[in-house]
Amino acid sequence: MRLVSLLDEEKEEEKSIEKAKVKRLNEAAMKGSVASLLELIQEDPDILNKANLSLSDTPLHVAALLGHSAFAKQLMTQKPELATDSNSQGSSPLHVAAAKGYVEIVKELLLVNPDMCLVKDRDGRTPLHLAAIKGRVEVLTELVRVRPEATRVLTGGGESALHLSVKNNHFGALKVLVESLGKDDQFVNWRDSEGSSVLHLAVAKKQLEMIKYLLTNSKMEVNVRNANGFTALDLLLHSQRDLRDMEIKECLQKAGASRMTKVQSIANNQEIEEVLPPIQAQPLIPKETDSKPVVEKHKHTDWLGRKRSALMVVASLLATVAFQASLSPPGGVWSDDYSVDSDGNPAENPHKAGLSVMAYHDPRKYEAFMILNTIAFLASLSIILLLISGLPMKRRRFMWIQMVTMWLAISAFTSTYFVALMQITPRQVRTTLFHVSRISLMIWLVMMGLVFVGNIIRMTLWLLRKYGYIKEKEKEFSLYVEEEENDE
């Protein structure tokens, strides 16, 4: 039994020694210390094999990540197989070096195994794809030089390296790839899983420089459609307006771009494709009878949208300030407990830590402050809750209710301000402050009254119009005028 225990102890000791060596190797890789690497290999020639079993990332992965080219070269000299090892993400050292843009390490890795250019990671991307995503122009140039066919490898989503460079706005990477493809017009016009070519992507992102380059230096099919049936020009016309739109449109039209629409045949229920030339958007002049309702509806929608956005911002600010005021009332809070004096006798005015100082010295003002602050806080939260509830709040009456609630919150918050101001102001200057505050409060009340009366008038007129009372009076008045004119 004692012999077995001794053997187990020896095994554990060997494991701990091996772990220490692997840790030293990892540290040497992080520092890029070739001397430490050679020292470890001299101590244990099998250390590189042990490291592969113990670590997710091999020392070569670490060197490629940190750009230690000399260390990486020495590793591949000692064990060339490291260049083909993958980590837990399925990435080879070439994936890592290409994404980071370390050209020297990329060159060394390609000398060992050029076929690693075609290997995909777990996300379905090759080292060339990662270099295109990151815009590593020098790395792309080297990868294309060694394995030109790598440019034609697609990702798991059916995207080419051209798509990735356009999506990530790397013009230099796009140029390298287009030049490497040469006369392969079919691949330049390759469409991804959504049916989008690189021209579709460039137009969608308004990348003017890329669009000009693609139209000038490659044979782009400008009228090819994506999965939604849109050409590049269709995408431009349906996108948000931008200062570059006119110039992009001119480039596309010079290249022969057209709008592609689908017309449904009523007679035989067949879908017919019709090519329409690009047209200038003309202002639509509606009929006289239809113009007013459309304009009023548009204005109504814009008005409600602006009010909802403004109410959300103001309510959020008021709720934040009211919450902070409840935690930090005027005068602050006691920082310690005080129940006995220095002689050990019960204190006349005891207090506890964390409670409001104002509540002890002036309970009435504290009550007024907290009541008003609570009203402002709950009114603001009510506005936020109504706006995010998903209820149909698109009618004017609901918007007026929310605005009245907001007036209540603002009025309560204003009163809270004056209570707090009087509390923190010394008695000798309160007289002047009182007069200034009274004048300011009167002006505020007059403004609130005017706004309130104005909205009451608006609501009254709206109700009268809704139930047709005003229209009837207008008709009666017009009939009365006509009768008077006829009598004359």
Side-chain angles (χ1 to χ4, degrees), residues 55-192:
L55 300 173
S56 171
D57 288 329
T58 67
L60 187 56
H61 281 93
V62 177
L65 179 66
L66 300 177
H68 300 315
S69 56
F71 190 89
K73 185 176 181 180
Q74 187 63 43
L75 279 173
M76 286 182 282
T77 302
Q78 298 292 333
K79 188 181 180 183
E81 296 82 3
L82 287 173
T84 60
D85 289 340
S86 300
N87 60 12
S88 56
Q89 287 79 36
S91 299
S92 67
L94 186 59
H95 282 88
V96 179
K100 298 300 289 185
Y102 298 126
V103 184
E104 294 301 323
I105 298 179
V106 169
K107 290 180 179 179
E108 295 295 334
L109 289 167
L110 292 175
L111 287 174
V112 174
N113 193 338
D115 293 334
M116 293 304 295
C117 288
L118 308 174
V119 176
K120 295 182 180 180
D121 59 13
R122 289 190 178 179
D123 295 326
R125 297 178 298 191
T126 65
L128 186 134
H129 291 146
L130 295 177
I133 292 171
K134 297 294 184 178
R136 312 299 185 187
V137 177
E138 294 182 2
V139 173
L140 277 173
T141 304
E142 188 64 24
L143 292 172
V144 169
R145 183 186 66 82
V146 175
R147 278 289 184 269
E149 60 271 24
T151 56
R152 292 167 176 78
V153 179
L154 303 177
T155 66
E159 297 173 308
S160 68
L162 290 170
H163 288 84
L164 298 176
S165 60
V166 173
K167 277 188 175 181
N168 294 277
N169 196 22
H170 295 305
F171 180 53
L174 178 69
K175 289 179 65 177
V176 172
L177 294 169
V178 171
E179 291 172 0
S180 67
L181 291 169
K183 296 182 179 181
D184 191 354
D185 300 328
Q186 182 179 358
F187 196 78
V188 171
N189 289 285
W190 181 265
R191 289 183 285 171
D192 59 16

Side-chain angles (χ1 to χ4, degrees), residues 53 87 141 175 191 209 213 290 311 334 379 408 421 444 452:
L53 298 175
N87 60 12
T141 304
K175 289 179 65 177
R191 289 183 285 171
E209 192 177 12
Y213 181 81
D290 298 334
L311 283 175
W334 297 109
L408 178 63
L421 189 62
W444 170 258
F452 184 76

